[in-house]
Amino acid sequence: MTERETLEFDVVFVGAGPANLSGALHLARLVKQHNETAAADKIGDIEIAVIEKGASVGAHILSGAVMDPKALRELIPDFEAQGAPLESPVNEDFFLYLTPKHAIRSPITPPPLKNHGYYIVSLNRLTGWLGEKCEEAGVNIFPEFPGADLLYDDADRVLGVRTGDKGIDKEGKRKPNYEPGVDLLAKVTVLGEGPRGSLTKKLVERLGLDEGREPQVYSVGVKELWELPDDRYPTGRVTHTLGFPSDAQTYGGGWIYGMQNRVLNLGYVTGLDYKDPLIDPHAEFQLFKTHPYIAKLLEGGKMIRYGAKTIAAGGYFAMPRTYADGVLLTGDCAGFLNSQRLKGIHSAIKSGMLAAETIFEALLARDFSAKQLQSYERRVNSSWIIPELRKVRNFHTGFRHGRWLGLVNTGLQFFTGGRAWGIFDRDRAHAGHAEMQKLSAYGYRGDKLEQRYTDLRFDGKLTFNKVTDVYHAAVGHDEDQPVHLHVLDTNICSTRCAEEYGNPCQRFCPAAVYEMVEDGGNGKRRLQINFSNCVHCKTCDIMDPYQIINWVTPEGGGGPDYKGL
Ligand code: SF4
């Protein structure tokens, strides 16, 4: 029996993303203000903790990102004057349709992609700054503390979180530096783990928080930062693209943002409900860069950073219940992102603030039950979050019938206020991984990528293979620890999956973690998991056609270091 230290807090936030940092900061201020002004019934000092699996706040935070500042302004009205790390206000919006050879600029920017008044930000830097604000307000921040399990009582009330053990070797044995994880007890635990949170996934399953909701669908964004030799792309220009290289059946699009100091931030989003089993989101992005317009933009430049992250794109219909006894969900792990606008930072911040107001009320009432915390849902419903999400509630499902119907549907919804009169109901009934077709449906023989990406070469100048890109994500994991990608039945990999889908994990993982290798020279192959490459994007947990990959938190501090991304 392992002896564990127990630490008691009033509130523990799991994940130092924009939602939870905003929530922790807002709560600390609400309590302070109350204690200073209330004549009676003071709450007293409360202990707030934020735990983060990365080596520092922001290390695992990756986003485009153009931020709608309305929520940050509610949290910190003078954030500009206070020195929030903003790359640039958006000065210009471009929307391009890419054919294989040409870039056609739309005379009008679609309203959801108009970004005037917004800011280009590095979300890594912004969360670092919010972390400092939290510490100034007295919040305890614990980096290198991954949430490994939620703690429950016999009535399934959440009592807190157990952090991961340190110092376990790859065989599961204790090393000399072994330290057991700590039990952090809290009146309320707030999960803000980002898309497909590992604790959130288990909580939702255990308590049935997704009952009556549609399955969540996701996209994955793959991005690089480039240093340009001159001012060819102005700081503050935002370009979004549609078309090349996605086929018309696959949801996808690109972005190019002008950052400071001639740094270009570009990336490509691929819907994780694609049909072709040979699709590789990293290859889609590399192909995107070979488009004559993009290649010219990058000529003479140097790739300096790489990252990948999933996005919860299902929206309004796919949001789970966001409260239960002793627990709340914030930000992307609750599905607050507006996929039509490609924006979720504003709603993440707002959800954190609303969670803080809910907890503040619960502290006053000394009641942390689901009945009390239900007021979080009411707050979210009456804030600007839900009206914004309701207007685009059928956006993503429209694209399940291909790009053109998706665009028609998007246009129509401006007039219908988001209604689709049940046209897409059938499409919402299954998760994205179920869309993947077998190799035979496409006439493919085996898993050779060249069958789809006939023109793609990795030249090391414009296009890079996954291993080179991963090097630029500054990923680090101690190699002597248990593998954190749990494949529940590896027999499937060398038999059914090889035959039916050609082991798509080798392609949908943007970090070359999964590899089918020769096994004993008799023509058989087995799965090798290069877990130290993992950039924690969660694509494998989402897109595996048999749903047998379970991503769990590795030892604290491991993973990418998304400095400046
Ligand atoms: Fe992403 Fe999974 Fe690959 Fe890690 S192993 S980088 S979570 S797809």
Side-chain angles (χ1 to χ4, degrees):
M1 181 86 174
T2 306
E3 294 230 345
R4 293 176 191 278
E5 195 182 346
T6 299
L7 296 175
E8 284 193 38
F9 292 91
D10 292 280
V11 185
V12 171
F13 289 85
V14 181
N20 271 0
L21 292 169
S22 304
L25 177 61
H26 194 46
L27 179 62
R29 288 176 173 174
L30 286 172
V31 171
K32 182 168 183 270
Q33 197 182 25
H34 169 82
N35 286 339
E36 284 170 359
T37 54
D41 202 19
K42 291 185 194 293
I43 294 174
D45 289 339
I46 67 158
E47 289 292 336
I48 305 171
V50 179
I51 62 166
E52 163 57 39
K53 65 183 166 64
S56 59
V57 172
H60 292 181
I61 300 290
L62 179 80
S63 178
V66 173
M67 177 185 69
D68 177 343
K70 68 177 165 184
L72 186 58
R73 208 174 288 293
E74 289 178 28
L75 180 70
I76 305 175
D78 60 343
F79 63 88
E80 292 107 327
Q82 287 204 36
L86 309 165
E87 282 292 321
S88 169
V90 177
N91 302 319
E92 292 175 286
D93 276 316
F94 281 31
F95 183 70
L96 304 177
Y97 184 79
L98 303 182
T99 68
K101 293 231 156 46
H102 301 284
I104 303 158
R105 185 173 173 194
S106 165
I108 49 154
T109 302
L113 296 178
K114 282 190 178 155
N115 292 296
H116 267 273
Y118 301 165
Y119 288 97
I120 299 173
V121 295
S122 150
L123 196 55
N124 158 277
R125 288 198 195 119
L126 188 71
T127 47
W129 181 77
L130 281 172
E132 287 167 19
K133 294 279 166 211
C134 283
E135 286 185 316
E136 285 166 20
V139 174
N140 305 284
I141 299 194
F142 300 107
E144 301 198 3
F145 267 61
D149 271 309
L150 286 174
L151 304 167
Y152 299 89
D153 69 6
D154 293 344
D156 269 350
R157 282 185 289 251
V158 175
L159 301 179
V161 61
R162 174 167 295 169
T163 65
D165 294 345
K166 282 189 178 170
I168 304 275
D169 74 10
K170 56 186 170 203
E171 311 295 344
K173 296 200 186 86
R174 294 176 182 185
K175 295 193 279 189
N177 65 342
Y178 172 71
E179 274 177 45
V182 179
D183 284 350
L184 305 173
L185 303 182
K187 296 179 175 102
V188 184
T189 303
V190 186
L191 299 181
E193 301 180 282
R196 194 74 156 199
S198 48
L199 297 183
T200 310
K201 181 175 135 180
K202 287 199 274 187
L203 177 82
V204 167
E205 273 169 22
R206 179 171 176 141
L207 303 185
L209 299 183
D210 57 352
E211 216 174 277
R213 321 284 163 119
E214 308 297 343
Q216 183 59 271
V217 287
Y218 298 85
S219 298
V220 59
V222 180
K223 76 183 268 190
E224 290 171 352
L225 294 188
W226 279 65
E227 254 170 21
L228 298 183
D230 52 41
D231 294 324
R232 69 186 72 167
Y233 194 94
T235 304
R237 177 185 292 173
V238 164
T239 301
H240 288 107
T241 75
L242 199 65
F244 180 87
S246 287
D247 61 63
Q249 287 305 306
T250 304
Y251 179 77
W255 77 82
I256 312 165
Y257 302 157
M259 316 246 299
Q260 288 175 11
N261 305 320
R262 298 173 175 167
V263 171
L264 203 62
N265 163 343
L266 76 164
Y268 201 81
V269 169
T270 300
L272 291 177
D273 47 4
Y274 59 78
K275 295 181 169 54
D276 182 340
L278 285 196
I279 282 186
D280 179 324
H282 172 269
E284 295 282 310
F285 173 53
Q286 298 305 315
L287 211 49
F288 170 67
K289 290 186 292 172
T290 66
H291 187 277
Y293 176 86
I294 316 282
K296 190 151 181 266
L297 210 52
L298 298 176
E299 205 171 61
K302 186 176 164 217
M303 189 269 284
I304 51 171
R305 307 286 287 135
Y306 171 77
K309 186 88 184 157
T310 47
I311 301 162
Y316 179 76
F317 289 119
M319 292 173 72
R321 176 149 67 83
T322 51
Y323 64 91
D325 288 307
V327 67
L328 295 174
L329 307 181
T330 59
D332 275 4
C333 75
F336 282 116
L337 181 128
N338 178 337
S339 66
Q340 188 189 64
R341 295 177 70 204
L342 268 175
K343 284 186 184 47
I345 303 171
H346 66 308
S347 45
I349 292 175
K350 182 70 179 174
S351 71
M353 293 175 70
L354 297 173
E357 288 161 26
T358 305
I359 296 166
F360 174 67
E361 194 179 70
L363 286 165
L364 284 174
R366 292 175 177 76
D367 178 359
F368 308 98
S369 65
K371 197 165 165 233
Q372 172 71 34
L373 296 179
Q374 188 175 10
S375 69
Y376 177 47
E377 189 171 79
R378 202 188 58 236
R379 285 186 164 86
V380 169
N381 287 344
S382 55
S383 74
W384 45 256
I385 295 180
I386 291 300
E388 181 181 327
L389 292 182
R390 273 190 62 79
K391 265 193 249 163
V392 298
R393 60 192 180 276
N394 286 299
F395 169 72
H396 194 85
T397 44
F399 283 89
R400 286 193 166 180
H401 293 271
R403 180 186 301 151
W404 301 114
L405 194 62
L407 286 174
V408 170
N409 172 53
T410 304
L412 282 176
Q413 293 204 7
F414 292 131
F415 302 101
T416 65
R419 282 181 205 87
W421 291 287
I423 295 169
F424 298 117
D425 281 359
R426 188 184 57 80
D427 304 298
R428 286 198 296 263
H430 44 263
H433 69 86
E435 294 283 339
M436 193 188 288
Q437 305 290 302
K438 294 184 178 160
L439 291 169
S440 54
Y442 282 81
Y444 292 138
R445 292 176 179 278
D447 59 1
K448 293 285 168 276
L449 210 58
E450 297 79 26
Q451 294 172 95
R452 178 180 170 95
Y453 299 100
T454 45
D455 297 329
L456 181 60
R457 307 279 174 276
F458 301 120
D459 64 8
K461 288 188 186 129
L462 174 67
T463 50
F464 304 95
N465 62 24
K466 289 181 185 177
V467 173
T468 309
D469 260 333
V470 168
Y471 172 77
H472 289 88
V475 187
H477 291 92
D478 183 345
E479 300 263 353
D480 190 16
Q481 66 171 298
V483 174
H484 68 279
L485 291 319
H486 295 180
V487 179
L488 307 179
D489 180 358
T490 46
N491 283 332
I492 289 186
C493 308
S494 45
T495 53
R496 271 183 72 194
C497 187
E499 202 174 297
E500 293 181 340
Y501 297 100
N503 302 111
C505 56
Q506 299 179 103
R507 296 177 292 279
F508 55 59
C509 170
V513 168
Y514 299 98
E515 208 179 337
M516 293 302 289
V517 295
E518 294 300 323
D519 186 17
N522 54 5
K524 284 196 180 154
R525 299 209 297 165
R526 67 173 169 83
L527 180 68
Q528 175 173 294
I529 303 177
N530 309 312
F531 76 89
S532 55
N533 283 358
C534 177
V535 295
H536 298 200
C537 71
K538 315 286 179 68
T539 304
C540 53
D541 194 296
I542 294 162
M543 200 54 190
D544 168 45
Y546 304 99
Q547 291 293 283
I548 54 170
I549 299 180
N550 193 26
W551 189 99
V552 302
T553 45
E555 190 170 295
D561 184 1
Y562 285 144
K563 212 165 272 157
L565 272 152

